[in-house]
Amino acid sequence: MRDVAVIGIGLTNFGEMWDTSFRELCVEAGVKAIEDAGLDGEQIDEMFVGNMSGGRFVLQEHIGALIADYAGLATNHIPSTRTEAACASGGLAFRQAVTCVASGMQDVVIAAGVEKMTDVSGGETTDALAGAADREWEGIYGVTFPSLYAMMARDYIHKYGLTREQLAQVAVKNHFNGARNPIAQFRKEITLDVVKNSTLVADPLRLMDCSPVSDGASAVIVCPLERAHEFTDTPVKVLASTQATDTISLHDRRDISTIDATIAAGNRAFKMAGLERKDIDLVEVHDCFTIAEICAIEDLGFCKKGEAGKLTEEGYTALDGKLPVNTSGGLKACGHPVGATGIKQVCEIVQQLRGDAGKRQVNGAEIGMTQNVGGTGATVVTHIFGRT
Ligand code: COA
């Protein structure tokens, strides 16, 4: 297998993008990544596009061909494939691109992620998202994503005594980071009281415990590490790329407040990279709800089960903490256009390792990690990156 490097990144703003179409969003991110890599579009050999539900949100399928066409690459007849694993669709697109280059099949590959969720009503969005769970055993009984994660939160609170303040601190921290990210949907800081007094969505989760409904796109270009300096002075090496699955329905799990696929993907990633937890300088985790960040920190092995709430409260995961978590603002404040999220996480780590993260820069960041979750943990994709 060949070593792989990220040579270009591109992001649109995240939020309610009523003036920009689905295809325009994706092409904007792709063009930015191509410019960032100093490439000519003609040099791209293959494309992967992460998208969860174009069919439900914008009535559009056949996304791989659509994006290749509107990027001006269809007349070159490059292979272009849509990847789908619910909210992990972007992480999966990136993993496909890495695998494609590592195998020697292609040299210059672009992975993009896109979702436009705000063109349909809130009810339709919630129902489309529920398709990431088991429709026959969960969705059909009215279960939604906020309610699934609320059950996980209830179980976690019962077992480990997590406090309302500790859970709320995840949102406060991520809004603090989002306020320093120019592409974030919510660029304003909030207090513990704002979280605690926000509208109840699914007990115990309140509005400010939830990621929002968002539009946005992201793109990343990879090539063999040995060619990276042809394009950029600051390539970022992919040290590990792993994926794991679990039961799709929550009730079939061994433990509903532990995401076993995160444990499996994380362990494989550390083994592949030959690194230990203490080597990681920062991590972007899938905080679709505040409880998900708490579980992710523990299931990736950064602390024992039941300890992440206390660590969050003590500032361990803050921007200036020992292990900054979600410096982008996470899904909570940066926004969560589901197909784009996994690649936005990669873009954030690349910006940090290049030293380009501005007001949210983690000093001396050399090794970063991403964790992207599909559904309640039926798919997890993790990556580790290193500064070269
Ligand atoms: N965090 C902070 N503010 C939010 C927010 C969030 N998650 N969601 C909405 N808001 C704000 C809006 O900006 C708006 O503010 P304004 O009045 O100042 O303009 C206000 O709250 C009302 O927005 P609205 O769109 O009417 O909210 P809603 O009640 O329809 O939706 C949720 C709120 C929480 C139900 C929705 O964001 C949601 O479903 N989130 C979860 C998405 C999800 O499940 N993703 C997949 C995860 S696996």
Side-chain angles (χ1 to χ4, degrees), residues 58-282:
V58 291
L59 306 180
Q60 178 71 60
E61 307 288 6
H62 210 168
I63 308 292
L66 175 89
I67 300 305
D69 185 7
Y70 276 81
L73 299 174
T75 45
N76 299 350
H77 311 297
I78 65 161
S80 180
T81 308
R82 171 190 182 173
T83 61
E84 191 276 308
C87 306
S89 299
L92 196 60
F94 181 71
R95 184 165 147 72
Q96 291 305 308
V98 169
T99 309
C100 188
V101 172
S103 70
M105 181 76 89
Q106 305 283 18
D107 264 13
V108 181
V109 178
I110 186 162
V114 58
E115 209 78 56
K116 188 149 175 45
M117 303 167 73
T118 66
D119 285 357
V120 293
S121 70
E124 284 172 272
T125 306
T126 301
D127 189 57
L129 290 170
D134 187 326
R135 182 65 73 174
E136 284 190 20
W137 287 101
E138 295 175 315
I140 209 155
Y141 298 105
V143 169
T144 62
F145 265 85
S147 68
L148 283 164
Y149 275 90
M151 285 190 257
M152 295 162 81
R154 274 259 156 265
D155 185 58
Y156 188 101
I157 289 166
H158 174 70
K159 283 181 185 144
Y160 305 108
L162 181 79
T163 67
R164 181 58 266 189
E165 283 72 21
Q166 290 169 342
L167 197 55
Q169 185 57 35
V170 174
V172 170
K173 168 184 71 68
N174 290 349
H175 271 258
F176 180 90
N177 296 346
R180 285 150 183 77
N181 186 352
I183 70 136
Q185 182 160 354
F186 299 122
R187 279 172 246 163
K188 70 167 192 249
E189 294 181 29
I190 55 171
T191 61
L192 283 177
D193 279 343
V194 167
V195 184
K196 283 158 60 183
N197 296 327
S198 62
T199 311
L200 197 56
V201 174
D203 197 13
L205 301 178
R206 294 179 175 272
L207 180 74
M208 288 294 173
D209 289 298
C210 303
S211 59
V213 170
S214 318
D215 306 327
S218 49
V220 166
I221 300 175
V222 291
C223 80
L225 181 63
E226 63 191 19
R227 286 195 57 195
H229 280 287
E230 287 174 34
F231 307 107
T232 176
D233 294 334
T234 52
V236 168
K237 186 176 173 185
V238 181
L239 301 174
S241 173
T242 65
Q243 184 182 343
T245 48
D246 199 349
T247 65
I248 192 154
S249 54
L250 200 55
H251 59 259
D252 279 333
R253 304 268 169 87
R254 171 184 70 84
D255 171 6
I256 69 164
S257 49
T258 299
I259 299 189
D260 280 343
T262 297
I263 297 178
N267 284 341
R268 288 173 197 159
F270 281 102
K271 192 170 172 208
M272 185 180 275
L275 293 171
E276 294 178 37
R277 271 66 179 177
K278 65 175 171 48
D279 298 320
I280 301 291
D281 295 317
L282 76 161

